[in-house]
Amino acid sequence: MSTLRFHALKQVYLHKPIHIEENVRRSEIFGANVFNESTMRQYLTKEAFESVMDASSSGSKIDRAIADHVSTGMKEWAISKGATHYTHWFQPLTGATAEKHDAFFETIGGGLAIEKFGGGQLVQQEPDASSFPNGGIRNTFEARGYTAWDPTSPAFIYGTTLCIPTIFVSYTGEALDYKTPLLRALQAVDSAAVAVCKYFDKNVKKVNASLGWEQEYFLIDNGLAMSRPDIVQTGRTLLGHSPAKGQQLDDHYFGTIPNRAMAYMRDLETECMLLGIPVKTRHNEVAPNQFELAPIFEEANLAVDHNSLLMDVMDKIAARHNFKVLFHEKPFAGVNGSGKHNNWSLSTNTGVNLLSPGKTPMSNLQFLTFFINTIKAVHENEELLRAAIASASNDHRLGANEAPPAIISVFIGEQLTKVLNELENVTNGKLSPQEKTDLKLNVVGKIPDVLLDNTDRNRTSPFAFTGNKFEFRAVGSTANCANPMTVLNTIVAKQLIDFREEVEGLIDKKSMKKDDAIFNVLREYIKASKNILFEGNGYGEAWEKEAKKRGLSNNKTTPEALKAKVSKKAIALFEELGVMNKIETEARYEIEVEEYTLRIQIESRVLGDIARNHIVPTAVRYQNILIENVKGLKEIYGASFKKLAKEQLNLIEDISSHIEGINSNVTKMTDERKKANAIEDLEQKAQFYCNKVKPLFEDIRYHCDKLELLVDDELWPLTKYRELLFTN
């Protein structure tokens, strides 16, 4: 293995930046491989074009005869771009994307063939669902699953394949993917938000949830990554001593991007432009060899598709540049982990961002209505929101020095805190003319249309208001954005429905005017949600104690956090809004609990293998060298050798101690794993892996990392942190 390590290091120096041509303006190639509105106008009949646009904007169904016209146009366009195959591109509950390629090819007899792609093939396919996670939804004999075209997300060409974004459902109709519940949640928030918008603007007919994700990742030379069995099999390093220099000098953040990484980014961004992914920002992140890219905001469903597609493309482009992309939330101990901040807002068909203050009291009252309702939604459902970002990998990041804690809180900044404090003192009941004037002119009317973005003062907040949007910072870098976006849009939709009912109740039963009713309800929401608002430091015991006093949950582990997904409250919420039925909700819980267990199980096996088959033999080999040295000293110097060999003897003992520590803890971990595997109940098994197996990782790692400092560098088999993080 040490030979492999040094061979990999030698190869790194042979890897030069690939020259990337950038002679074309990005605006000219943007969306060139996307069957977008411009392309559809060229390849579709007027009737087919209007039908697709109606389906995209209002969710109307596309007639099968029209689907035939669409498929013909789509096929002709795809073939003209060099496509030979098509696939229904979907997002099963594996966390990755899935595709099965079929050729535009069919024989017609007489030794002849044609390119064929009909409406039926566009609208629906029938992939085998037996090997995808289903959470007990289907029986073995009901292995069929169906993919169905989602016209709200345009088809695109990647390589020589036409990719058609689809939903994925079981034989019995339940959702087996991330997209279906998200689409339902977006419909729910659209309907609920439009109803509330009518208080302020009768012209609002549609509200779109928008999303801007920020993708953080590590870029490691592929040879170095392949020399580490833990990176290859788990996506992170399970052991490795921190280098003398890490990120403590803050010299990487926003620094000059290394040449090879820059070439990779240019290549990636060109591919993104062709695929219509509007990436805009790139920079070095805090940790060495850590980077970030971010796009312009898009409608949430399309943004989720683009992020899933981006992660696939990043992997493929990385291979071209001899890189390995690490999306894991914590691939290296001791340096920053990676997140995927989800920036969320709501906007109307009239062009108004509902979370952006305006220039008039009425527009600001609308802003405050959606702003306060979002805070109230988070307060009422903080455990469910925590569950939406729970995973084995994100557990390593949440609560670490650079990331938000597992406690969900909302940061809104000093200016808006003052506004809410003023609104909290609104009179209970009808407002006097003087109070109403004072409120509109001095409180609501004076919210600046461009709020000072002071949220960067508190990077520990998991859910922060950043001027014209909420930023959900606790989302992990490996996550499919659909999961947190489904939950966030669902809880906001429910809250807006409740808000409207309360306002209508005051108008009908107490004969209040609209503004009076809105102010009264908002005042009560501010009082009820104060515990979720937190402006301070989110690290440490002080905040944990304060959060407990406030009644906020602190679910530090995934098995603990996921329970909120199947609470009576959560099941009722999803069913009421038509986002997921009970079967779908419970299936997702089962899948995520099982995935947690399997990931910890895999890491345990990999760690045991590396510790015993790589680290211990290397330590013994070095110990034998020391023993030979001591023997030689004894032969030369006789009885006085002990004085000369004192340090060598101490080293021999230290190595023996760490070898014993490794072997005893690996044995203990293996025994605990056997006990866990005997447990049939999935929830209990996950808890056992979490509380009994996983804690032993650190004990084993401690002894391995100590040996790394003792054993001759020439013998050490695993590529070290200093090489992984500082070789580029």
Side-chain angles (χ1 to χ4, degrees), residues 98-287:
E99 53 196 69
K100 180 187 76 170
H101 298 193
D102 286 305
F104 294 121
F105 174 81
E106 193 161 308
T107 56
I108 56 174
L112 301 175
I114 58 171
E115 274 90 16
K116 185 177 180 183
F117 179 60
Q121 294 160 311
L122 166 66
V123 172
Q124 181 176 302
Q125 275 195 326
E126 192 178 311
D128 183 1
S130 59
S131 294
F132 289 112
N134 62 81
I137 283 178
R138 57 153 199 86
N139 295 311
T140 306
F141 59 85
E142 296 170 335
R144 281 182 295 174
Y146 297 98
T147 49
W149 176 34
D150 171 21
T152 65
S153 185
F156 57 90
I157 294 171
Y158 190 62
T160 58
T161 304
L162 170 67
C163 302
I164 304 157
T166 61
I167 63 170
F168 181 45
V169 296
S170 72
Y171 175 73
T172 49
E174 282 85 9
L176 288 173
D177 65 345
Y178 285 110
K179 180 185 274 280
T180 306
L182 174 65
L183 290 172
R184 295 168 182 167
L186 293 174
Q187 284 182 332
V189 80
D190 173 21
S191 174
V194 166
V196 173
C197 281
K198 297 289 186 186
Y199 287 136
F200 309 99
D201 184 356
K202 300 290 185 186
N203 295 315
V204 174
K205 292 182 174 133
K206 184 168 180 60
V207 171
N208 280 321
S210 63
L211 168 65
W213 38 261
E214 302 168 24
Q215 182 69 59
E216 295 178 344
Y217 62 99
F218 282 82
L219 209 52
I220 306 299
D221 185 88
N222 192 50
L224 299 184
M226 292 301 291
S227 72
R228 294 280 309 219
D230 46 359
I231 291 179
V232 171
Q233 295 187 75
T234 72
R236 74 178 183 105
T237 55
L238 296 172
L239 46 83
H241 200 281
S242 296
K245 180 182 183 291
Q247 64 186 49
Q248 61 266 50
L249 296 178
D250 297 324
D251 55 347
H252 189 258
Y253 191 52
F254 280 19
T256 302
I257 299 172
N259 290 336
R260 278 183 67 202
M262 178 62 84
Y264 165 75
M265 290 176 183
R266 286 175 177 160
D267 201 0
L268 173 64
E269 288 168 3
T270 298
E271 199 68 52
C272 286
M273 289 299 107
L274 293 169
L275 291 167
I277 306 173
V279 294
K280 185 176 177 68
T281 303
R282 65 189 182 203
H283 63 83
N284 287 2
E285 255 300 332
V286 176

Side-chain angles (χ1 to χ4, degrees), residues 430-540:
K430 296 179 183 178
L431 279 65
S432 67
Q434 175 62 37
E435 187 175 21
K436 189 176 290 188
T437 301
D438 187 58
L439 257 179
K440 287 191 172 181
L441 294 180
N442 297 325
V443 180
V444 177
K446 287 190 176 179
I447 300 174
D449 57 352
V450 179
L451 284 164
L452 174 66
D453 185 1
N454 60 356
T455 55
D456 273 347
R457 296 178 194 169
N458 191 339
R459 302 301 291 174
T460 67
S461 174
F463 198 87
F465 185 72
T466 56
N468 59 2
K469 61 190 181 298
F470 279 99
E471 184 175 5
F472 193 9
R473 292 176 173 153
V475 182
S477 50
T478 59
N480 186 310
C481 297
N483 217 349
M485 283 296 102
T486 297
V487 170
L488 180 56
N489 285 289
T490 300
I491 65 176
V492 171
K494 169 61 176 169
Q495 183 54 52
L496 291 172
I497 291 169
D498 292 347
F499 169 78
R500 190 171 183 280
E501 286 180 0
E502 290 186 52
V503 170
E504 291 297 312
L506 292 178
I507 293 172
D508 294 341
K509 295 175 184 175
K510 297 197 175 181
S511 301
M512 280 190 192
K513 290 186 176 178
K514 179 190 69 178
D515 285 3
D516 290 354
I518 290 172
F519 277 125
N520 273 268
V521 174
L522 292 181
R523 180 200 65 227
E524 294 306 311
Y525 284 0
I526 293 167
K527 290 179 180 178
S529 305
K530 288 184 84 169
N531 283 347
I532 203 75
L533 299 176
F534 179 63
E535 309 289 299
N537 187 349
Y539 298 137

Side-chain angles (χ1 to χ4, degrees), residues 18-35:
I18 296 174
H19 179 67
I20 303 299
E21 293 284 348
E22 289 185 300
N23 297 326
V24 183
R25 290 186 179 184
R26 295 190 169 195
S27 58
E28 293 177 8
I29 62 171
F30 183 72
N33 290 344
V34 181
F35 197 63

Side-chain angles (χ1 to χ4, degrees), residues 414-428:
E414 185 179 342
Q415 290 171 290
L416 288 170
T417 298
K418 288 179 180 177
V419 172
L420 296 197
N421 288 339
E422 292 276 355
L423 287 176
E424 191 180 346
N425 297 317
V426 171
T427 301
N428 187 7

